[in-house]
Amino acid sequence: MVEWEISDQDIETTEKLLLPDRAHFPEDARNVIRCWHSADVAACPGSGKTTVLLAKLKLLADRMPLENGAGICVLSHTNVAVDEIRKRLSGYADKLLSYPNYIGTIQSFVDKFVTMPYLRNIVGRNVQAVDDLIYAQHMQNRMWLSAKYSALNYVTKNSFEASGQFTERLDHTQALYVRDDGALCVGKQKRVLAGANTKSAEQYKALLDDLLKIEGIMRYRDTYVYAKTAINDLPKAYTDLFSSRFQYVFIDEYQDCDEIQRRAIDAIFNSTKCTVIKIGDADQAIYNSSENETPDWVPQDGFLPIMTSCRYSQEIADVIFKLQKDPKNITTYVGKTGVKPILLIFDSENIDKVIGKFINVLETHGLYDNKGVYKAIGAAKKEDLSGLKIGSYWSEFDGSAKKQSEYNYWALVDDIIASLLDGKLYKAERIVRKLLCRIFHYAKIRHPISGKEYSVATIKRSLDDEYQDIYRQWIYEMSRLQNIERETIDCLMRQKINELLKIMNPQADDIFDCLPEYFLDKVADVSQTEKSEKNIFIDPIRGRRIEFDTIHGVKGETHDATLYLETDRQGSSDLNRILPYYGVGKIGSSNLFDYSRKLAYVGMSRPKKLLCVAMQAKTYEKSKGIFADDWEIIDLRG
């Protein structure tokens, strides 16, 4: 493998292209830029790892075409790399985003090059994943129409009629499964429907096999199982092709890969035959949550660290580095600024003072720019959770707020198309519900009992309870479309939405006639007048926009100032669980301690200029003064 010699002149040219005027890459970042052999890169929050990756891609683009027609592969969990290349390396975009290079998401790569070729090979046709509901409809249609499944149909029909647990036969069909011992079971019923090796159990297995081989469908949850099998069965000749096609492989946010994705990457790319660079931060693995069994990523011996942060002050670095699993000092580019992080102490009687005090603190520290990025973030958002949640601090917080793309009909239609082409019917069905929510919003159709606007969740309940047959037929027809284009999807949506509304209100006219022009505008992705103002608190002093969000929602972001809100989960709070990392109490055995540590690490490392943390008095009183030296304490109780 080639070890490119990267000169100081190369790096200076790249700095001029990617960094602010007169800014330079720190030495640890330069070490990564100069590395062209397989290695792990452990990067702290704000280290500019995306910029370092772009620098490497720019240097590779300068040296293309690579030897033997090889390409580069860049994998992440979102398409952010593609967006950044187009925005910041626009002069190189055509070269980097075309064959033989592959830049995209890890999941789409595994689906495209591992799972789907494996299934095509054993089935002899293309296969798509569908959600459990659609799959059950296909199962039922086959059971009813073919004598081949008569025993299964008889047993399941009798079971459904006798159970009283299911209101619809389709729900019963959806709950069928084969136990490890081969017995056919349903839902949570302890008594088996049919023992192993009985006609019914054998017909159930044959039915799943036929759906895969004849109709080319499987349940989304089965892709995980097939991916496992596919990885084990990958022939060496096939994996060798990848190591020769891709000379350089970069995996960003590697800590968020699940077990299957990690196994697939290791199976496909031989790090002794091609350069594989895994970039991440194990302390920011918040998607492998407390319920997820995927172990934390541990960078290999000899890993390259980037522990210089370009984002926050040394004062912020000195309080967040203690939240690392293996604490290592973080050096910051800006150094000390004289501004300590701030703890706002409150109790239940004065929680409503927290936001106002945050605004006062912004004033005190000269953060006047009403175009600045100010965010209030927390871990728990669900309205039905007991204890502290984001909405406890501001009652208007809406955890189901929509993205801007959901405010344009054609953007939603394109999302449906993309999901169908990707073989993910379950995603397409969810987008159909989003589309219905927007149309019901404009038509002022609300829930008849609660009087509230429909959400993606509440509309699902209504469709299942009252309009199940028509809606399931609608999704079934969508799954059978041969021609997945804008015109086809548009025609189907208009027809089915109007059919649904005719059942709800026989006097209803074509609902599309009453929708606003900007919603149906094919040119404007999102009308400026319809951008969501949800979860934005406008401060009354200077009109600053303070946006409320979850910690997951702001991962990867940089703010001017961040207010971290203490929230509760399973009988305790996230800040209470991180006290041991600061030296008070013992770390509990529950995974929630480690998960809370990572959430706090991600959340508190967002701001450039000011970090505020809202902590309830009972947590502060347990802390035994450990925050006195490094934090400014503001008590809202007095």
Side-chain angles (χ1 to χ4, degrees):
M1 285 179 282
V2 179
E3 279 276 352
W4 303 108
E5 283 292 328
I6 304 299
S7 67
D8 290 342
Q9 179 64 45
D10 285 331
I11 289 183
E12 283 167 24
T13 306
T14 308
E15 286 173 338
K16 284 175 185 170
L17 179 67
L18 293 171
L19 299 183
D21 192 30
R22 297 182 185 173
H24 301 285
F25 287 112
E27 196 56 39
D28 50 11
R30 287 177 173 235
N31 291 339
V32 175
I33 292 169
R34 287 193 161 106
C35 171
W36 298 101
H37 58 264
S38 292
D40 288 351
V41 176
C44 73
S47 58
K49 63 183 175 56
T50 302
T51 305
V52 170
L53 176 57
L54 290 174
K56 292 183 79 68
L57 295 180
K58 183 263 179 198
L59 292 168
L60 280 171
D62 288 338
R63 289 156 174 79
M64 287 179 179
L66 301 178
E67 203 174 325
N68 300 321
I72 60 171
C73 181
V74 182
L75 303 176
S76 191
H77 296 277
T78 66
N79 280 314
V80 69
V82 175
D83 299 336
E84 289 291 309
I85 287 166
R86 288 197 174 119
K87 186 169 70 177
R88 299 173 64 190
L89 290 177
S90 54
Y92 298 85
D94 288 346
K95 194 183 280 190
L96 288 168
L97 296 174
S98 58
Y99 186 87
N101 305 322
Y102 183 96
I103 299 177
T105 67
I106 296 168
Q107 193 54 53
S108 63
F109 185 88
V110 172
D111 286 348
K112 181 174 181 179
F113 292 112
V114 180
T115 314
M116 294 310 170
Y118 168 77
L119 288 171
R120 247 192 328 269
N121 191 41
I122 63 170
V123 173
R125 58 165 298 159
N126 286 334
V127 174
Q128 73 164 338
V130 300
D131 73 5
D132 287 1
L133 197 67
I134 304 305
Y135 193 79
Q137 191 160 23
H138 285 257
M139 286 174 70
Q140 209 157 269
N141 288 346
R142 283 199 161 263
M143 272 198 287
W144 290 347
L145 296 173
S146 172
K148 181 179 176 182
Y149 310 110
S150 58
L152 176 64
N153 190 34
Y154 177 78
V155 166
T156 54
K157 179 175 180 288
N158 287 344
S159 168
F160 164 66
E161 290 171 352
S163 75
Q165 183 187 340
F166 301 94
T167 53
E168 294 283 337
R169 173 89 186 267
L170 198 58
D171 297 325
H172 182 274
T173 304
Q174 193 176 320
L176 293 171
Y177 69 98
V178 169
R179 215 165 55 184
D180 291 343
D181 63 2
L184 180 64
C185 305
V186 63
K188 295 178 180 176
Q189 290 182 13
K190 291 182 180 177
R191 193 168 64 85
V192 301
L193 297 189
N197 304 319
T198 59
K199 261 191 181 179
S200 304
E202 293 301 322
Q203 286 180 11
Y204 177 79
K205 293 172 200 167
L207 174 57
L208 302 197
D209 202 43
D210 282 353
L211 286 172
L212 183 67
K213 292 177 178 174
I214 298 169
E215 295 200 32
I217 63 168
M218 62 178 171
R219 288 170 295 206
Y220 170 67
R221 55 193 161 103
D222 292 336
T223 60
Y224 199 80
V225 177
Y226 285 120
K228 270 186 175 178
T229 312
I231 291 164
N232 293 335
D233 288 358
L234 282 174
K236 186 174 181 299
Y238 185 66
T239 56
D240 284 348
L241 282 173
F242 286 97
S243 298
S244 56
R245 173 179 164 181
F246 298 114
Q247 189 174 341
Y248 296 98
V249 181
F250 304 96
I251 303 110
D252 197 13
E253 304 287 1
Y254 184 76
Q255 77 279 351
D256 290 329
C257 290
D258 63 28
E259 182 204 357
I260 289 296
Q261 291 169 337
R262 292 180 192 179
R263 281 179 53 198
I265 288 163
D266 289 343
I268 290 171
F269 302 114
N270 184 332
S271 60
T272 63
K273 295 182 178 177
C274 62
T275 296
V276 180
I277 295 181
K278 299 169 182 173
I279 308 165
D281 180 356
D283 293 305
Q284 293 191 68
I286 60 174
Y287 294 110
N288 292 334
S289 72
S290 55
E291 291 82 24
N292 191 307
E293 295 304 312
T294 301
D296 280 352
W297 171 52
V298 179
Q300 294 177 4
D301 289 346
F303 71 87
L304 298 171
I306 311 183
M307 295 308 287
T308 305
S309 179
C310 311
R311 180 182 295 155
Y312 36 80
S313 67
Q314 194 60 47
E315 286 90 342
I316 293 175
D318 289 344
V319 300
I320 65 167
F321 91 92
K322 296 173 184 177
L323 293 167
Q324 296 171 340
K325 195 167 192 173
D326 181 18
K328 289 184 176 62
N329 285 326
I330 298 172
T331 305
T332 64
Y333 206 66
V334 296
K336 291 215 169 197
T337 60
V339 178
K340 288 183 177 183
I342 293 169
L343 266 187
L344 304 177
I345 312 302
F346 68 92
D347 56 25
S348 56
E349 286 78 44
N350 44 49
I351 190 171
D352 57 340
K353 292 183 181 177
V354 169
I355 307 306
K357 179 51 74 173
F358 178 56
I359 292 166
N360 289 343
V361 167
L362 294 178
E363 284 288 301
T364 305
H365 289 85
L367 295 171
Y368 302 137
D369 184 3
N370 62 11
K371 292 182 181 173
V373 180
Y374 310 111
K375 297 209 176 182
I377 61 173
K381 69 173 184 176
K382 289 183 181 174
E383 291 174 14
D384 56 354
L385 285 175
S386 60
L388 276 180
K389 44 193 173 284
I390 299 172
S392 304
Y393 297 85
W394 185 46
S395 60
E396 292 181 47
F397 175 74
D398 179 0
S400 63
K402 302 165 182 64
K403 294 183 296 185
Q404 291 175 5
S405 63
E406 291 164 30
Y407 290 83
N408 180 267
Y409 173 76
W410 295 102
L412 287 162
V413 166
D414 289 343
D415 285 348
I416 292 168
I417 292 167
S419 298
L420 290 174
L421 290 173
D422 212 16
K424 293 184 167 61
L425 186 62
Y426 72 99
K427 278 190 178 177
E429 186 275 331
R430 184 176 171 81
I431 298 160
V432 168
R433 283 186 275 129
K434 285 181 184 177
L435 178 57
L436 271 173
C437 285
R438 296 313 306 151
I439 289 174
F440 281 13
H441 163 76
Y442 292 121
K444 297 183 169 53
I445 297 171
R446 291 173 172 254
H447 194 284
I449 298 170
S450 70
K452 291 183 179 179
E453 285 203 357
Y454 283 98
S455 69
V456 175
T458 58
I459 208 163
K460 181 175 176 63
R461 285 196 289 273
S462 288
L463 290 166
D464 283 349
D465 292 347
E466 301 165 59
Y467 309 103
Q468 194 177 71
D469 292 343
I470 181 176
Y471 185 63
R472 287 175 176 176
Q473 184 61 29
W474 172 357
I475 303 301
Y476 179 71
E477 285 179 32
M478 191 168 72
S479 76
R480 309 306 293 162
L481 286 174
Q482 297 300 310
N483 183 21
I484 303 172
E485 292 178 352
R486 258 191 171 196
E487 292 72 19
T488 323
I489 300 296
D490 172 42
C491 182
L492 183 70
M493 291 303 116
R494 288 174 188 262
Q495 176 197 337
K496 294 297 183 184
I497 289 169
N498 276 315
E499 271 182 32
L500 177 65
L501 288 165
K502 280 284 184 190
I503 295 171
M504 295 171 79
N505 175 13
Q507 275 73 51
D509 297 321
D510 185 340
I511 196 168
F512 283 80
D513 291 343
C514 73
L515 299 180
E517 285 184 21
Y518 53 75
F519 179 66
L520 296 171
D521 189 348
K522 283 191 178 184
V523 180
D525 280 340
V526 186
S527 163
Q528 292 301 309
T529 60
E530 259 298 291
K531 283 189 177 177
S532 173
E533 287 297 306
K534 279 194 172 181
N535 297 335
I536 306 288
F537 178 92
I538 307 294
D539 97 67
I541 299 176
R542 297 184 187 270
R544 299 179 193 86
R545 294 160 56 87
I546 298 170
E547 184 176 346
F548 284 70
D549 205 342
T550 61
I551 296 166
H552 286 83
V554 300
K555 186 169 182 278
E557 292 183 356
T558 296
H559 310 156
D560 289 288
T562 306
L563 172 61
Y564 186 102
L565 306 168
E566 181 173 10
T567 58
D568 291 332
R569 185 170 177 174
Q570 294 185 21
S572 184
S573 80
D574 50 352
L575 295 186
N576 188 50
R577 288 190 179 99
I578 67 167
L579 292 179
Y581 300 97
Y582 287 97
V584 174
K586 290 184 178 178
I587 299 169
S589 57
S590 162
N591 288 341
L592 276 172
F593 279 81
D594 196 52
Y595 188 46
S596 297
R597 172 187 71 80
K598 290 188 276 192
L599 286 170
Y601 185 66
V602 169
M604 293 183 197
S605 58
R606 298 307 98 202
K608 286 190 292 185
K609 300 171 184 174
L610 183 70
L611 169 63
C612 272
V613 173
M615 179 181 282
Q616 56 188 331
K618 66 179 182 181
T619 306
Y620 179 66
E621 280 151 14
K622 283 184 188 172
S623 69
K624 299 179 182 175
I626 53 168
F627 298 114
D629 292 339
D630 297 329
W631 298 73
E632 178 187 341
I633 315 293
I634 299 177
D635 198 327
L636 303 181
R637 295 171 294 173

